Amino acid sequence: MFGFGYGWGNNVAGLLATIVSGLFALLILVIVVGLIFLLVRFLLVATRAAQLYVAEHEPPRPVTPVTPAARVAPAA
């Protein structure tokens, strides 16, 4: 009657194992979501910093005068 696999002991241990594994899975999920958040935040900040650096250190562009297009007589 109280052999292996019978009684409350096995059910309590299974329930405890389920709760612990659920908490562990939740912890892993929180860690993964946090790492993804930090990665995306880093990439956004780094992209903005790179844009500011390029804008500040870009060589000046030569000024090219804009000439109006030559007027072409309409075809007859």
Side-chain angles (χ1 to χ4, degrees):
M1 183 171 177
F2 296 108
F4 183 71
Y6 296 103
W8 287 102
N10 193 19
N11 292 335
V12 172
L15 178 65
L16 183 62
T18 302
I19 291 172
V20 168
S21 65
L23 290 174
F24 185 70
L26 183 64
L27 176 68
I28 296 298
L29 179 67
V30 167
I31 289 172
V32 168
V33 168
L35 286 175
I36 290 173
F37 173 77
L38 289 175
L39 175 67
V40 169
R41 185 172 180 248
F42 170 76
L43 290 175
L44 288 174
V45 169
T47 302
R48 181 67 181 141
Q51 288 173 348
L52 291 173
Y53 178 83
V54 169
E56 189 170 325
H57 293 90
E58 190 174 37
R61 296 180 182 168
V63 178
T64 56
V66 178
T67 57
R71 295 189 177 222
V72 179

